[in-house]
Amino acid sequence: MATLTNLPQELRQRILLTAVQQEDRLVGSKWPKTIIALLHVCKTLRRDMPWVLDQWTPLRHLQRPSDLTTALSLSIDGVACGPFLTKPAETLYIDLFHDTLAANIRKATWNPLDDGVEMHQALVDAWRDAVPQLPMDKGLVVLDATPAPGWAREGHEYTLQWLMLRGAQAFLAYHIDGIVDLVRRIYQHYAGNVEVMLAGRYDTFHIQSLLRICFLLRDFGIKLPEGRQVKFSNSLRVRRKTILYAVHNLAPRKGTPEVEDWSQAMRLAPLRKVKWSEKAAWLFQDLSTVGGSLDKLTDDMRKLAEVMVDEHGTTVTITEWTQLHLSRRRLIRHMARDMGLRVKSEGEGENRYVVISKESV
């Protein structure tokens, strides 16, 4: 029976190249497992690999500035080989915040008095200092500014949760000037003979920062193409988890030791059928990140749910309406509408209050 090792060398190498080409990028200096495995199959395939690696055309993916000083060749039986020895990579992918620390994003703050203590300016500075070491003869440089550490991007949903953090928004906004300066230096390094593209995973929170980056780059005479590699996360499903968590606490599907009043939970069961709007899910998740707010928001939901399930026309009057934060007022209005309730404002000035009741049939 014919085997791979019995085939002519040229055909065998073509087959190996097809297998290796499935690895579309060389990340840092870490060689893909496919290549390492093929090198250990047998001596015949090992002798074929120098030609295969010379023909391999991966994208060069830099995760940290030190990747630029790492050798990208293998020595196989004394023969140096690698994808970039005889021809340069056409595309260079720079993962700007891959090595940032979790604390830099979780604790990022908008407070100007903190002077960016929790940011990671040193990492951006290291990338700027490494620009002169970037290999020449590149046609495209892709800059990934995803505001999340590399390890947090493994799972799709986990990435969305990171991008939704308030800290991620502040973190990216703080580094706008650094990113702009980095792109300008890259452009100068290649004497303008390169296309620079913004890439990465972002949430809708980050649109303002991205637009600001593009605006400042236009001032420098550098145009970032509309990033076909920029992906905005559809994080509504993740945002809904926060509001659904509150629903579960008020109207669980089955009794648990934490449920103090099971009869009350059963009364609020219709709450589980409410289809929450994007606005309500967005505001609920955003406000719940403030310390202690989740309990208050859940209590607001409970009061509205009491009106929704009551058959005797009960109303809720919120007399401290003017003292509530504007976002919380908006959330109450959106939740009430999603529950089919009517929100009516009465009074003026500091005496203004809101009456929530069922829609008249």
Side-chain angles (χ1 to χ4, degrees):
M1 182 177 66
T3 62
L4 179 62
T5 55
N6 293 333
L7 296 175
Q9 183 182 34
E10 183 178 350
L11 178 57
R12 190 171 60 236
Q13 289 175 333
R14 293 289 180 183
I15 294 174
L16 291 176
L17 179 59
T18 301
V20 171
Q21 290 284 30
Q22 303 304 312
E23 303 287 350
D24 61 349
R25 63 181 59 198
L26 181 58
V27 180
S29 58
K30 186 177 180 180
W31 291 86
K33 293 181 180 179
T34 302
I35 294 176
I36 300 300
L38 289 173
L39 289 172
H40 289 84
V41 172
C42 64
K43 291 183 178 180
T44 301
L45 297 188
R46 185 179 178 86
R47 286 193 294 267
D48 293 336
M49 288 303 290
W51 180 89
V52 172
L53 293 182
D54 286 339
Q55 301 300 314
W56 181 38
T57 56
L59 176 150
R60 187 171 181 190
H61 187 135
L62 303 177
Q63 293 181 333
R64 53 192 63 88
S66 60
D67 289 342
L68 288 167
T69 59
T70 306
L72 293 175
S73 62
L74 279 176
S75 180
I76 301 177
D77 297 334
V79 178
C81 56
F84 307 128
L85 288 182
T86 58
K87 57 186 180 305
E90 294 183 358
T91 302
L92 188 66
Y93 193 99
I94 298 176
D95 196 344
L96 184 57
F97 295 119
H98 181 275
D99 277 2
T100 194
L101 303 177
N104 294 127
I105 296 177
R106 285 199 184 103
K107 298 180 181 179
T109 174
W110 292 102
N111 187 354
L113 298 179
D114 287 346
D115 197 26
V117 171
E118 300 296 346
M119 307 302 179
H120 207 157
Q121 187 61 42
L123 182 58
V124 179
D125 291 342
W127 278 113
R128 287 190 298 196
D129 293 341
V131 168
Q133 302 176 43
L134 293 178
M136 300 301 292
D137 301 324
K138 292 287 180 283
L140 174 65
V141 175
V142 180
L143 184 65
D144 186 337
T146 302
W151 59 265
R153 308 177 202 173
E154 299 299 326
H156 173 68
E157 189 168 302
Y158 196 38
T159 304
L160 297 184
Q161 292 173 348
W162 267 89
L163 296 180
M164 285 164 49
L165 290 176
R166 280 174 171 264
Q169 184 183 7
F171 182 85
L172 184 61
Y174 176 83
H175 287 295
I176 287 176
D177 291 338
I179 294 172
V180 168
D181 187 49
L182 176 61
V183 173
R184 180 175 59 83
R185 293 186 182 214
I186 292 173
Y187 197 80
Q188 291 175 345
H189 175 67
Y190 292 103
N193 299 318
V194 69
E195 181 182 8
V196 181
M197 179 178 293
L198 189 65
R201 290 288 302 278
Y202 304 94
D203 196 80
T204 48
F205 286 130
H206 309 127
I207 291 178
Q208 186 174 359
S209 295
L210 296 175
L211 291 176
R212 179 66 177 167
I213 291 172
C214 292
F215 175 77
L216 292 175
L217 287 172
R218 283 201 299 270
D219 287 348
F220 284 120
I222 303 171
K223 182 180 179 181
L224 278 179
E226 294 184 4
R228 56 181 178 270
Q229 299 195 44
V230 173
K231 298 179 181 178
F232 287 97
S233 303
N234 181 14
S235 52
L236 177 59
R237 180 168 60 90
V238 179
R239 286 197 179 92
R240 282 202 174 114
K241 283 194 171 184
T242 308
I243 198 169
L244 292 179
Y245 174 77
V247 171
H248 173 75
N249 287 339
L250 294 174
R253 293 184 178 276
K254 57 182 179 179
T256 61
E258 292 79 16
V259 179
E260 298 179 358
D261 189 347
W262 178 242
S263 61
Q264 170 76 355
M266 290 294 291
R267 285 186 67 249
L268 299 182
L271 190 61
R272 297 198 298 264
K273 298 182 180 180
V274 175
K275 294 183 178 180
W276 302 105
S277 63
E278 183 175 352
K279 283 286 187 181
W282 183 302
L283 287 169
F284 199 97
Q285 193 280 331
D286 194 31
L287 292 174
S288 66
T289 60
V290 182
S293 291
L294 182 58
D295 293 337
K296 296 178 182 178
L297 300 181
T298 303
D299 190 55
D300 290 339
M301 180 185 289
R302 181 189 59 76
K303 293 177 181 178
L304 297 176
E306 291 283 359
V307 177
M308 180 182 69
V309 301
D310 189 79
E311 298 178 354
H312 304 290
T314 301
T315 62
V316 170
T317 302
I318 304 178
T319 56
E320 69 277 12
W321 187 252
T322 56
Q323 282 75 46
L324 296 181
H325 190 277
L326 178 60
S327 296
R328 189 174 171 190
R329 280 185 266 172
R330 288 176 179 170
L331 174 59
I332 292 174
R333 287 183 180 276
H334 283 295
M335 287 197 300
R337 289 168 185 163
D338 291 346
M339 294 182 193
L341 305 178
R342 180 176 60 180
V343 181
K344 184 179 180 181
S345 300
E346 298 185 4
E348 296 181 359
E350 295 182 356
N351 297 322
R352 188 179 182 83
Y353 63 95
V354 162
V355 177
I356 300 175
S357 59
K358 277 191 173 182
E359 291 279 6
S360 57
V361 181

